[in-house]
Coordinates of all heavy atoms in Angstrom, one line a residue:
M36 N -104.4 -16.0 -64.5 CA -104.8 -15.5 -63.2 C -106.1 -14.5 -63.6 O -106.1 -13.9 -64.5 CB -103.7 -14.5 -62.6 CG -104.3 -14.0 -61.3 SD -103.5 -12.8 -60.5 CE -102.0 -12.8 -60.2
V37 N -107.1 -14.6 -62.7 CA -108.3 -13.8 -62.9 C -108.3 -12.6 -61.9 O -107.9 -12.7 -60.7 CB -109.6 -14.7 -62.5 CG1 -110.7 -13.8 -62.5 CG2 -109.7 -15.8 -63.5
S38 N -108.7 -11.5 -62.3 CA -108.8 -10.3 -61.6 C -110.2 -10.1 -61.3 O -111.1 -10.4 -62.1 CB -108.3 -9.1 -62.3 OG -106.9 -9.1 -62.6
I39 N -110.5 -9.7 -60.0 CA -112.0 -9.7 -59.6 C -112.1 -8.4 -58.8 O -111.3 -7.7 -58.3 CB -112.4 -10.8 -58.5 CG1 -111.4 -10.8 -57.3 CG2 -112.3 -12.1 -59.4 CD1 -112.0 -11.7 -56.2
Q40 N -113.4 -8.0 -58.8 CA -113.8 -6.8 -58.1 C -114.8 -7.4 -57.0 O -115.8 -7.9 -57.4 CB -114.5 -5.7 -58.9 CG -115.0 -4.5 -58.2 CD -115.6 -3.5 -59.1 OE1 -116.4 -3.9 -59.8 NE2 -115.5 -2.3 -58.8
I41 N -114.5 -7.1 -55.7 CA -115.4 -7.6 -54.7 C -116.7 -6.7 -54.7 O -116.5 -5.5 -54.5 CB -114.8 -7.8 -53.4 CG1 -113.7 -8.7 -53.4 CG2 -115.8 -8.1 -52.3 CD1 -112.8 -8.8 -52.1
Q42 N -117.8 -7.3 -54.7 CA -119.0 -6.6 -54.6 C -119.8 -6.6 -53.4 O -120.7 -5.9 -53.2 CB -120.0 -7.0 -55.9 CG -119.4 -6.8 -57.3 CD -120.3 -7.1 -58.3 OE1 -120.8 -8.2 -58.4 NE2 -120.6 -6.1 -59.2
G43 N -119.6 -7.7 -52.6 CA -120.2 -7.8 -51.4 C -119.6 -8.9 -50.6 O -118.8 -9.7 -51.1
F44 N -119.9 -9.0 -49.3 CA -119.4 -10.0 -48.4 C -120.6 -10.9 -47.9 O -121.7 -10.4 -47.4 CB -118.8 -9.3 -47.2 CG -118.3 -10.2 -46.1 CD1 -117.2 -11.1 -46.3 CD2 -118.8 -10.3 -44.9 CE1 -116.8 -12.1 -45.4 CE2 -118.4 -11.2 -44.0 CZ -117.4 -12.1 -44.2
L45 N -120.5 -12.2 -48.2 CA -121.6 -13.1 -47.9 C -121.5 -13.6 -46.6 O -122.6 -13.9 -45.9 CB -121.7 -14.2 -49.0 CG -122.1 -13.8 -50.3 CD1 -122.0 -15.0 -51.3 CD2 -123.4 -13.2 -50.4
G46 N -120.4 -13.8 -46.0 CA -120.4 -14.4 -44.7 C -119.0 -15.1 -44.4 O -118.2 -15.1 -45.1
V47 N -119.1 -15.7 -43.1 CA -117.9 -16.3 -42.5 C -118.4 -17.9 -42.3 O -119.3 -18.0 -41.7 CB -117.4 -15.7 -41.3 CG1 -116.1 -16.5 -40.7 CG2 -117.0 -14.3 -41.5
T48 N -117.5 -18.7 -42.5 CA -117.8 -20.2 -42.2 C -116.7 -20.5 -41.2 O -115.5 -20.4 -41.4 CB -117.6 -21.1 -43.4 OG1 -118.5 -20.7 -44.4 CG2 -118.0 -22.5 -43.0
D49 N -117.0 -20.8 -39.9 CA -116.1 -21.1 -38.9 C -116.1 -22.5 -38.6 O -117.1 -23.2 -38.2 CB -116.7 -20.3 -37.6 CG -115.6 -20.5 -36.5 OD1 -114.5 -21.0 -36.7 OD2 -115.9 -20.1 -35.3
V50 N -115.0 -23.2 -39.0 CA -114.9 -24.6 -38.9 C -113.7 -24.7 -37.8 O -112.9 -24.0 -37.8 CB -114.4 -25.3 -40.2 CG1 -114.2 -26.8 -40.0 CG2 -115.6 -25.0 -41.2
P51 N -113.7 -25.8 -36.9 CA -112.6 -25.9 -35.9 C -111.2 -25.7 -36.5 O -110.3 -25.1 -35.8 CB -112.7 -27.3 -35.3 CG -114.1 -27.6 -35.6 CD -114.6 -26.9 -36.9
T52 N -110.9 -26.1 -37.6 CA -109.6 -25.8 -38.2 C -109.5 -24.9 -39.2 O -108.3 -24.6 -39.8 CB -109.1 -27.2 -38.8 OG1 -110.1 -27.6 -39.9 CG2 -109.0 -28.4 -37.8
Q53 N -110.5 -24.1 -39.6 CA -110.4 -23.1 -40.6 C -111.6 -22.2 -40.5 O -112.7 -22.5 -40.1 CB -110.4 -23.7 -42.1 CG -111.6 -24.4 -42.4 CD -111.5 -25.1 -43.8 OE1 -110.5 -25.7 -44.0 NE2 -112.5 -25.1 -44.5
D54 N -111.4 -21.0 -41.1 CA -112.5 -20.0 -41.4 C -112.7 -19.9 -42.9 O -111.7 -19.8 -43.6 CB -112.2 -18.7 -40.7 CG -112.2 -18.7 -39.2 OD1 -112.9 -19.5 -38.6 OD2 -111.5 -17.9 -38.7
G55 N -113.9 -19.9 -43.2 CA -114.2 -19.7 -44.7 C -115.0 -18.5 -44.8 O -115.9 -18.0 -44.1
F56 N -114.6 -17.6 -45.8 CA -115.3 -16.3 -46.1 C -116.0 -16.5 -47.6 O -115.3 -16.9 -48.5 CB -114.3 -15.2 -46.2 CG -113.7 -15.0 -44.8 CD1 -112.5 -15.7 -44.4 CD2 -114.2 -14.1 -43.9 CE1 -111.9 -15.5 -43.2 CE2 -113.7 -13.9 -42.7 CZ -112.5 -14.7 -42.3
D57 N -117.2 -16.0 -47.7 CA -117.8 -16.0 -48.9 C -118.1 -14.6 -49.4 O -118.6 -13.7 -48.7 CB -119.3 -16.6 -48.7 CG -119.2 -18.1 -48.3 OD1 -118.3 -18.8 -48.6 OD2 -120.1 -18.5 -47.5
F58 N -117.6 -14.4 -50.7 CA -117.7 -13.0 -51.3 C -118.6 -13.2 -52.6 O -118.4 -14.2 -53.3 CB -116.4 -12.5 -51.6 CG -115.6 -12.2 -50.4 CD1 -114.7 -13.2 -49.8 CD2 -115.6 -11.0 -49.8 CE1 -113.9 -12.9 -48.7 CE2 -114.8 -10.6 -48.7 CZ -114.0 -11.5 -48.1
V59 N -119.2 -12.2 -52.9 CA -119.7 -11.9 -54.2 C -118.7 -11.1 -55.0 O -118.4 -10.2 -54.6 CB -121.0 -11.1 -54.3 CG1 -121.7 -10.9 -55.7 CG2 -122.1 -12.0 -53.3
C60 N -118.3 -11.6 -56.2 CA -117.2 -11.0 -57.0 C -117.8 -10.9 -58.5 O -118.6 -11.7 -58.9 CB -115.9 -11.7 -56.9 SG -115.3 -11.8 -55.3
K61 N -117.1 -10.0 -59.3 CA -117.3 -10.2 -60.7 C -116.0 -10.0 -61.3 O -115.2 -9.2 -60.8 CB -118.2 -8.9 -61.2 CG -117.6 -7.6 -61.2 CD -118.5 -6.5 -61.9 CE -117.9 -5.2 -62.0 NZ -118.6 -4.2 -62.7
P62 N -115.8 -10.7 -62.4 CA -114.6 -10.7 -63.1 C -114.2 -9.3 -63.8 O -115.3 -8.8 -64.3 CB -114.7 -11.8 -64.2 CG -116.1 -12.0 -64.4 CD -116.7 -11.6 -63.1
V63 N -113.0 -8.9 -63.7 CA -112.8 -7.6 -64.5 C -111.5 -7.8 -65.4 O -111.2 -6.8 -66.1 CB -112.5 -6.4 -63.5 CG1 -113.7 -6.2 -62.6 CG2 -111.3 -6.8 -62.5
G64 N -111.0 -9.2 -65.4 CA -109.9 -9.3 -66.4 C -109.2 -10.5 -66.1 O -109.5 -11.1 -65.0
G65 N -108.3 -10.9 -67.0 CA -107.6 -12.2 -66.8 C -108.2 -13.4 -67.3 O -109.4 -13.3 -68.0
E66 N -107.6 -14.6 -67.1 CA -108.2 -15.8 -67.6 C -108.2 -16.8 -66.3 O -107.3 -16.7 -65.5 CB -107.3 -16.4 -68.7 CG -107.4 -15.5 -69.9 CD -106.4 -16.1 -71.0 OE1 -106.1 -17.4 -70.9 OE2 -105.9 -15.4 -71.9
L67 N -109.2 -17.8 -66.4 CA -109.1 -18.8 -65.6 C -107.9 -19.6 -65.8 O -107.4 -19.9 -66.8 CB -110.3 -19.7 -65.7 CG -111.8 -19.1 -65.3 CD1 -112.8 -20.1 -65.7 CD2 -111.7 -18.9 -63.8
L68 N -107.2 -20.2 -64.6 CA -106.1 -21.1 -64.7 C -106.6 -22.4 -65.1 O -107.7 -22.9 -64.8 CB -105.5 -21.2 -63.2 CG -104.8 -20.0 -62.8 CD1 -104.2 -20.2 -61.4 CD2 -103.6 -19.6 -63.8
A69 N -105.8 -23.1 -65.9 CA -105.9 -24.6 -66.2 C -106.0 -25.4 -64.9 O -105.7 -24.9 -63.8 CB -105.0 -25.0 -67.2
V70 N -106.1 -26.6 -65.1 CA -106.0 -27.7 -63.9 C -104.7 -27.5 -63.3 O -103.6 -27.3 -63.9 CB -106.1 -29.0 -64.5 CG1 -105.9 -30.1 -63.4 CG2 -107.6 -29.2 -65.2
T71 N -104.8 -27.4 -61.9 CA -103.5 -27.3 -61.1 C -103.6 -28.3 -60.0 O -104.4 -29.2 -60.1 CB -103.6 -25.9 -60.4 OG1 -104.5 -25.9 -59.4 CG2 -103.6 -24.7 -61.3
E72 N -102.6 -28.3 -59.2 CA -102.5 -29.4 -58.0 C -103.8 -29.1 -57.1 O -104.1 -30.0 -56.4 CB -101.3 -29.1 -57.1 CG -100.0 -29.5 -57.9 CD -98.8 -29.4 -57.0 OE1 -99.0 -29.1 -55.8 OE2 -97.7 -29.3 -57.7
E73 N -104.4 -27.9 -57.1 CA -105.5 -27.6 -56.1 C -106.9 -27.8 -56.7 O -107.9 -27.7 -56.2 CB -105.4 -26.3 -55.5 CG -104.1 -26.2 -54.7 CD -104.0 -24.7 -54.0 OE1 -104.8 -23.9 -54.3 OE2 -103.1 -24.6 -53.2
T74 N -106.9 -28.0 -58.1 CA -108.2 -27.9 -58.7 C -108.1 -28.9 -59.9 O -107.1 -29.1 -60.7 CB -108.7 -26.5 -59.2 OG1 -109.9 -26.7 -59.8 CG2 -107.8 -25.9 -60.2
T75 N -109.3 -29.5 -60.3 CA -109.4 -30.4 -61.3 C -110.2 -29.8 -62.5 O -110.2 -30.4 -63.6 CB -110.1 -31.7 -60.9 OG1 -111.3 -31.4 -60.4 CG2 -109.2 -32.5 -59.9
D76 N -110.8 -28.7 -62.2 CA -111.6 -28.0 -63.3 C -111.8 -26.6 -62.9 O -112.1 -26.1 -61.7 CB -113.0 -28.7 -63.3 CG -113.8 -28.3 -64.5 OD1 -113.3 -27.6 -65.5 OD2 -115.1 -28.6 -64.5
S77 N -111.8 -25.7 -63.9 CA -112.1 -24.3 -63.7 C -113.1 -23.9 -64.9 O -112.8 -24.2 -66.0 CB -110.9 -23.4 -63.7 OG -110.1 -23.7 -62.7
R78 N -114.2 -23.2 -64.5 CA -114.9 -22.7 -65.6 C -115.9 -21.6 -65.0 O -116.1 -21.5 -63.9 CB -115.8 -23.8 -66.3 CG -116.8 -24.3 -65.1 CD -117.7 -25.4 -65.8 NE -117.1 -26.7 -65.7 CZ -117.5 -27.9 -66.0 NH1 -118.7 -27.9 -66.7 NH2 -116.9 -28.9 -65.9
W79 N -116.4 -20.7 -66.0 CA -117.5 -19.8 -65.7 C -118.7 -20.4 -65.9 O -119.0 -21.2 -66.8 CB -117.3 -18.6 -66.7 CG -116.1 -17.8 -66.5 CD1 -115.2 -17.6 -67.4 CD2 -115.6 -17.0 -65.4 NE1 -114.1 -16.9 -67.0 CE2 -114.4 -16.5 -65.7 CE3 -116.2 -16.7 -64.1 CZ2 -113.8 -15.7 -64.8 CZ3 -115.5 -16.0 -63.3 CH2 -114.3 -15.4 -63.6
V80 N -119.6 -20.3 -64.9 CA -120.9 -21.0 -64.9 C -122.0 -19.9 -64.6 O -121.8 -19.1 -63.7 CB -121.0 -22.1 -63.8 CG1 -122.4 -22.7 -63.8 CG2 -119.9 -23.0 -64.0
A81 N -123.2 -20.0 -65.5 CA -124.3 -19.1 -65.2 C -124.7 -19.3 -63.7 O -124.8 -20.4 -63.3 CB -125.3 -19.3 -66.2
K82 N -125.0 -18.1 -63.1 CA -125.5 -18.2 -61.7 C -126.8 -19.2 -61.5 O -126.8 -19.9 -60.5 CB -125.9 -16.7 -61.4 CG -126.3 -16.6 -59.7 CD -126.3 -15.1 -59.4 CE -127.6 -14.4 -59.8 NZ -127.7 -13.1 -59.1
D83 N -127.6 -19.2 -62.5 CA -128.8 -20.1 -62.3 C -128.4 -21.6 -62.6 O -129.3 -22.4 -62.5 CB -129.9 -19.7 -63.2 CG -129.6 -19.6 -64.6 OD1 -128.5 -19.6 -65.1 OD2 -130.6 -19.7 -65.4
K84 N -127.3 -21.8 -62.9 CA -126.8 -23.2 -63.2 C -125.8 -23.8 -62.2 O -125.4 -25.0 -62.4 CB -126.2 -23.4 -64.8 CG -127.1 -22.9 -65.8 CD -128.2 -23.9 -65.9 CE -129.1 -23.5 -67.2 NZ -130.3 -24.1 -67.1
V85 N -125.3 -23.0 -61.4 CA -124.3 -23.4 -60.5 C -124.7 -24.6 -59.6 O -123.7 -25.5 -59.4 CB -123.8 -22.3 -59.6 CG1 -122.9 -22.7 -58.4 CG2 -123.1 -21.2 -60.4
L86 N -125.8 -24.7 -59.1 CA -126.3 -25.7 -58.2 C -126.2 -27.1 -58.9 O -126.1 -28.1 -58.1 CB -127.7 -25.5 -57.6 CG -127.7 -24.3 -56.6 CD1 -129.2 -24.0 -56.2 CD2 -126.8 -24.5 -55.4
D87 N -126.3 -27.1 -60.1 CA -126.1 -28.3 -60.9 C -124.8 -29.0 -60.8 O -124.6 -30.2 -61.0 CB -126.5 -28.1 -62.4 CG -127.8 -27.7 -62.7 OD1 -128.7 -27.8 -61.9 OD2 -128.0 -27.0 -63.8
F88 N -123.7 -28.2 -60.4 CA -122.4 -28.6 -60.2 C -121.9 -28.8 -58.8 O -120.8 -29.4 -58.6 CB -121.4 -27.7 -60.8 CG -121.5 -27.4 -62.4 CD1 -122.3 -26.6 -62.9 CD2 -120.9 -28.3 -63.2 CE1 -122.6 -26.4 -64.2 CE2 -121.1 -28.2 -64.6 CZ -121.9 -27.2 -65.1
I89 N -122.8 -28.5 -57.7 CA -122.5 -28.6 -56.3 C -123.1 -29.7 -55.8 O -124.3 -29.9 -55.7 CB -122.7 -27.3 -55.6 CG1 -122.1 -26.0 -56.3 CG2 -122.3 -27.4 -54.1 CD1 -122.6 -24.8 -55.7
E90 N -122.3 -30.8 -55.2 CA -122.9 -31.9 -54.6 C -122.7 -31.9 -53.0 O -123.6 -32.3 -52.4 CB -122.1 -33.1 -55.0 CG -122.2 -33.4 -56.5 CD -121.5 -34.7 -57.1 OE1 -120.9 -35.3 -56.1 OE2 -121.2 -34.8 -58.2
N91 N -121.7 -31.0 -52.5 CA -121.5 -31.0 -51.0 C -122.8 -30.2 -50.5 O -123.0 -29.0 -50.9 CB -120.2 -30.4 -50.7 CG -120.0 -30.2 -49.3 OD1 -120.7 -29.3 -48.7 ND2 -119.1 -30.9 -48.7
P92 N -123.6 -30.8 -49.6 CA -124.8 -30.2 -49.0 C -124.5 -28.8 -48.3 O -125.3 -27.9 -48.5 CB -125.4 -31.1 -48.1 CG -124.4 -32.2 -47.9 CD -123.4 -32.1 -49.0
A93 N -123.3 -28.6 -47.7 CA -123.0 -27.5 -47.0 C -122.8 -26.3 -48.0 O -123.1 -25.1 -47.8 CB -121.8 -27.6 -46.0
I94 N -121.9 -26.6 -49.1 CA -121.7 -25.7 -50.0 C -122.9 -25.3 -50.8 O -123.2 -24.1 -51.2 CB -120.5 -26.2 -51.0 CG1 -119.3 -26.3 -50.2 CG2 -120.3 -25.2 -52.2 CD1 -118.1 -27.0 -51.0
R95 N -123.8 -26.3 -51.1 CA -125.0 -26.0 -51.8 C -125.9 -25.0 -51.1 O -126.5 -24.1 -51.6 CB -125.8 -27.3 -52.1 CG -125.4 -28.2 -53.2 CD -126.3 -29.4 -53.4 NE -127.6 -29.0 -53.9 CZ -128.0 -28.8 -55.1 NH1 -127.1 -28.9 -56.0 NH2 -129.2 -28.4 -55.5
T96 N -126.0 -25.2 -49.7 CA -126.8 -24.5 -48.8 C -126.2 -23.1 -48.8 O -127.0 -22.1 -48.9 CB -126.7 -25.1 -47.4 OG1 -127.3 -26.4 -47.5 CG2 -127.6 -24.2 -46.5
S97 N -124.9 -22.9 -48.6 CA -124.3 -21.6 -48.8 C -124.6 -20.9 -50.0 O -125.0 -19.7 -50.0 CB -122.8 -21.7 -48.6 OG -122.2 -20.5 -48.5
Y98 N -124.5 -21.5 -51.2 CA -124.7 -20.9 -52.4 C -126.3 -20.6 -52.6 O -126.6 -19.5 -53.2 CB -124.2 -21.7 -53.6 CG -124.2 -20.9 -55.0 CD1 -123.1 -20.0 -55.2 CD2 -125.3 -20.9 -55.7 CE1 -123.2 -19.2 -56.2 CE2 -125.2 -20.2 -56.8 CZ -124.2 -19.3 -57.1 OH -124.2 -18.5 -58.3
Q99 N -127.1 -21.5 -52.1 CA -128.6 -21.2 -52.2 C -128.8 -19.8 -51.4 O -129.7 -19.1 -51.7 CB -129.4 -22.3 -51.7 CG -130.8 -22.2 -51.9 CD -131.2 -22.0 -53.3 OE1 -130.9 -23.1 -54.1 NE2 -131.8 -21.0 -53.8
A100 N -128.2 -19.7 -50.2 CA -128.3 -18.5 -49.5 C -127.9 -17.2 -50.3 O -128.6 -16.3 -50.2 CB -127.5 -18.5 -48.1
Y101 N -126.9 -17.4 -51.1 CA -126.4 -16.3 -52.0 C -127.6 -16.0 -52.9 O -127.9 -14.9 -53.2 CB -125.2 -16.6 -52.7 CG -124.8 -15.8 -53.9 CD1 -124.7 -14.4 -53.9 CD2 -125.1 -16.4 -55.1 CE1 -124.5 -13.7 -55.0 CE2 -124.7 -15.7 -56.3 CZ -124.4 -14.4 -56.2 OH -124.3 -13.6 -57.3
L102 N -128.1 -17.0 -53.6 CA -129.2 -16.9 -54.6 C -130.4 -16.2 -54.0 O -131.1 -15.5 -54.6 CB -129.5 -18.2 -55.2 CG -128.4 -18.9 -56.1 CD1 -128.9 -20.2 -56.5 CD2 -128.2 -18.0 -57.2
D103 N -130.6 -16.5 -52.7 CA -131.9 -16.1 -52.1 C -131.7 -14.7 -51.3 O -132.5 -14.2 -50.7 CB -132.3 -17.1 -51.0 CG -132.8 -18.3 -51.6 OD1 -133.0 -18.5 -52.8 OD2 -132.8 -19.4 -50.9
F104 N -130.4 -14.2 -51.4 CA -130.1 -12.9 -50.6 C -131.1 -11.9 -50.9 O -131.4 -11.5 -52.0 CB -128.6 -12.5 -51.0 CG -128.2 -11.3 -50.4 CD1 -128.0 -11.3 -48.9 CD2 -128.2 -10.0 -51.0 CE1 -127.5 -10.2 -48.3 CE2 -127.6 -8.9 -50.2 CZ -127.4 -9.1 -48.8
N105 N -131.6 -11.2 -49.8 CA -132.6 -10.1 -49.9 C -132.2 -8.9 -49.2 O -133.0 -8.1 -48.8 CB -133.9 -10.6 -49.4 CG -133.8 -11.0 -48.0 OD1 -132.9 -10.8 -47.3 ND2 -135.0 -11.5 -47.4
G106 N -130.8 -8.9 -48.9 CA -130.3 -7.7 -48.1 C -130.1 -8.0 -46.6 O -129.4 -7.3 -45.9
A107 N -130.6 -9.0 -46.1 CA -130.4 -9.5 -44.6 C -129.3 -10.4 -44.6 O -129.1 -11.3 -45.5 CB -131.6 -10.1 -44.0
V108 N -128.5 -10.4 -43.5 CA -127.5 -11.3 -43.2 C -128.2 -12.7 -42.8 O -129.1 -12.8 -42.1 CB -126.6 -10.9 -42.1 CG1 -125.7 -12.0 -41.7 CG2 -125.9 -9.7 -42.3
N109 N -127.7 -13.7 -43.5 CA -128.3 -15.0 -43.3 C -127.3 -15.8 -42.4 O -126.2 -16.2 -43.0 CB -128.6 -15.8 -44.6 CG -129.1 -17.2 -44.4 OD1 -129.3 -17.7 -43.2 ND2 -129.4 -17.9 -45.5
Y110 N -127.4 -16.0 -41.1 CA -126.6 -16.7 -40.2 C -126.9 -18.0 -40.1 O -128.1 -18.4 -39.6 CB -126.4 -15.9 -38.8 CG -125.6 -16.8 -37.8 CD1 -124.3 -16.7 -37.8 CD2 -126.3 -17.6 -36.9 CE1 -123.5 -17.4 -36.9 CE2 -125.5 -18.4 -35.9 CZ -124.1 -18.3 -36.1 OH -123.5 -19.1 -35.1
M111 N -126.0 -19.0 -40.3 CA -126.3 -20.4 -40.2 C -125.2 -21.1 -39.3 O -124.0 -20.9 -39.6 CB -126.4 -21.2 -41.4 CG -127.6 -20.8 -42.2 SD -127.7 -21.8 -43.8 CE -126.5 -20.7 -44.8
A112 N -125.6 -22.0 -38.4 CA -124.7 -22.9 -37.7 C -125.0 -24.2 -38.1 O -126.2 -24.5 -37.9 CB -124.7 -22.6 -36.2
Y113 N -124.0 -25.0 -38.6 CA -124.5 -26.3 -39.0 C -123.3 -27.4 -38.8 O -122.2 -26.9 -38.6 CB -124.7 -26.3 -40.5 CG -123.6 -25.8 -41.4 CD1 -122.8 -26.5 -41.9 CD2 -123.8 -24.5 -41.8 CE1 -121.6 -26.0 -42.7 CE2 -122.8 -23.9 -42.8 CZ -121.9 -24.7 -43.1 OH -120.9 -24.2 -44.0
L114 N -123.7 -28.6 -38.7 CA -122.7 -29.8 -38.8 C -122.5 -30.3 -40.1 O -123.5 -30.3 -40.8 CB -123.2 -30.7 -37.8 CG -123.4 -30.3 -36.3 CD1 -124.0 -31.4 -35.4 CD2 -122.1 -29.9 -35.7
T115 N -121.4 -30.8 -40.4 CA -121.3 -31.6 -41.7 C -121.0 -33.0 -41.4 O -121.2 -33.8 -42.4 CB -120.1 -31.0 -42.4 OG1 -118.9 -31.1 -41.6 CG2 -120.3 -29.5 -42.8
K116 N -120.7 -33.5 -40.2 CA -120.5 -34.9 -39.9 C -121.2 -35.4 -38.7 O -121.3 -34.6 -37.7 CB -119.1 -35.2 -39.9 CG -118.3 -34.8 -41.1 CD -117.0 -35.6 -41.1 CE -116.2 -35.1 -42.3 NZ -116.4 -35.6 -43.6
P117 N -121.8 -36.4 -38.7 CA -121.8 -37.5 -39.6 C -122.7 -37.2 -40.9 O -122.6 -37.8 -41.9 CB -122.4 -38.8 -38.8 CG -123.3 -38.2 -37.8 CD -122.6 -36.9 -37.4
E118 N -123.5 -36.2 -40.7 CA -124.3 -35.7 -41.9 C -124.5 -34.3 -41.7 O -124.5 -33.7 -40.7 CB -125.7 -36.5 -42.0 CG -126.5 -36.3 -40.8 CD -127.9 -37.1 -40.8 OE1 -127.8 -38.2 -40.7 OE2 -128.9 -36.5 -40.7
F119 N -124.9 -33.6 -42.9 CA -125.2 -32.2 -42.9 C -126.5 -31.9 -42.2 O -127.6 -32.5 -42.5 CB -125.2 -31.7 -44.3 CG -125.5 -30.3 -44.4 CD1 -124.6 -29.3 -44.1 CD2 -126.8 -29.8 -44.8 CE1 -124.9 -27.9 -44.1 CE2 -127.1 -28.5 -44.7 CZ -126.2 -27.5 -44.5
I120 N -126.5 -31.0 -41.3 CA -127.7 -30.6 -40.5 C -127.5 -29.2 -40.1 O -126.4 -28.7 -39.5 CB -128.1 -31.4 -39.3 CG1 -129.4 -31.0 -38.7 CG2 -127.0 -31.5 -38.3 CD1 -129.9 -32.1 -37.7
I121 N -128.4 -28.4 -40.4 CA -128.5 -26.9 -39.9 C -129.0 -26.9 -38.4 O -130.1 -27.3 -38.2 CB -129.3 -26.1 -40.8 CG1 -128.8 -26.0 -42.3 CG2 -129.4 -24.7 -40.3 CD1 -129.7 -25.3 -43.2
K122 N -128.1 -26.6 -37.5 CA -128.6 -26.5 -36.2 C -129.3 -25.3 -35.8 O -130.1 -25.2 -34.9 CB -127.1 -26.6 -35.3 CG -126.5 -27.8 -35.5 CD -127.1 -29.0 -34.9 CE -127.0 -29.1 -33.4 NZ -127.7 -30.2 -32.8
H123 N -128.8 -24.1 -36.4 CA -129.5 -22.8 -36.2 C -129.4 -21.9 -37.4 O -128.5 -21.9 -38.1 CB -128.8 -22.1 -35.0 CG -129.4 -20.7 -34.6 ND1 -130.6 -20.6 -34.0 CD2 -128.9 -19.5 -34.9 CE1 -130.8 -19.4 -33.9 NE2 -129.8 -18.7 -34.5
Q124 N -130.5 -21.3 -37.6 CA -130.5 -20.2 -38.7 C -131.3 -19.1 -38.3 O -132.4 -19.2 -37.7 CB -131.1 -20.9 -40.0 CG -131.0 -19.9 -41.2 CD -131.4 -20.7 -42.5 OE1 -132.0 -21.8 -42.5 NE2 -131.1 -20.1 -43.7
T125 N -130.8 -17.9 -38.6 CA -131.5 -16.7 -38.3 C -131.1 -15.6 -39.3 O -130.1 -15.6 -40.0 CB -131.2 -16.2 -36.9 OG1 -132.1 -15.2 -36.6 CG2 -129.8 -15.7 -36.7
F126 N -132.0 -14.7 -39.5 CA -131.8 -13.6 -40.4 C -131.7 -12.3 -39.7 O -132.4 -12.0 -38.8 CB -132.9 -13.5 -41.5 CG -132.9 -14.7 -42.4 CD1 -133.7 -15.8 -42.1 CD2 -132.2 -14.7 -43.6 CE1 -133.8 -16.9 -42.9 CE2 -132.2 -15.8 -44.4 CZ -133.0 -16.9 -44.1
I127 N -130.6 -11.5 -40.0 CA -130.4 -10.2 -39.4 C -130.5 -9.1 -40.4 O -129.8 -9.0 -41.4 CB -129.0 -10.2 -38.8 CG1 -128.8 -11.4 -37.8 CG2 -128.7 -8.9 -38.0 CD1 -127.5 -11.6 -37.4
S128 N -131.4 -8.2 -40.2 CA -131.5 -7.1 -41.2 C -131.4 -5.8 -40.4 O -131.4 -5.7 -39.2 CB -132.8 -7.2 -41.8 OG -133.9 -7.2 -40.8
K129 N -131.3 -4.7 -41.1 CA -131.1 -3.4 -40.5 C -132.4 -2.8 -39.9 O -133.5 -3.1 -40.4 CB -130.6 -2.3 -41.7 CG -129.2 -2.7 -42.2 CD -128.7 -1.7 -43.1 CE -127.4 -1.8 -43.5 NZ -126.9 -0.9 -44.5

């Protein structure tokens, strides 16, 4: 089990059947779990290498928003089927 410290809140993903929340965290202890029923792989990856492992366009876009974070909230509304398309994007700053 990994212990984390939440450093920030990236956003909420609202899908008709679920809500997804994106957080920025840092490990503070523990170990990654081995392969389980819910995952086929677990590993620590350098921030600048993560996109090399992400194929899903919605998840890639979300992670790219994290990499590009400049202090403003990046709000995106998008479709994933039949293909990924961003319907609306706006930035909200203080």
Side-chain angles (χ1 to χ4, degrees):
M36 179 188 326
V37 174
S38 298
I39 62 167
Q40 177 183 41
I41 297 175
Q42 296 183 309
F44 177 65
L45 291 178
V47 177
T48 303
D49 186 10
V50 180
T52 58
Q53 68 185 39
D54 289 331
F56 297 88
D57 299 327
F58 293 92
V59 177
C60 304
K61 75 173 186 176
V63 295
E66 295 180 22
L67 289 175
L68 293 175
V70 174
T71 68
E72 292 179 14
E73 295 183 354
T74 182
T75 57
D76 190 12
S77 296
R78 67 177 86 182
W79 296 113
V80 178
K82 188 163 77 169
D83 63 339
K84 301 292 183 192
V85 170
L86 290 176
D87 295 341
F88 294 89
I89 303 173
E90 296 178 11
N91 180 292
I94 297 171
R95 281 184 66 89
T96 300
S97 179
Y98 194 81
Q99 187 65 58
Y101 159 69
L102 291 174
D103 297 340
F104 182 69
N105 64 3
V108 173
N109 180 359
Y110 171 81
M111 287 183 279
Y113 55 82
L114 299 173
T115 58
K116 300 205 187 275
E118 64 186 60
F119 176 75
I120 183 168
I121 297 174
K122 301 290 282 180
H123 178 77
Q124 182 172 17
T125 189
F126 294 89
I127 304 166
S128 59
K129 292 182 179 181

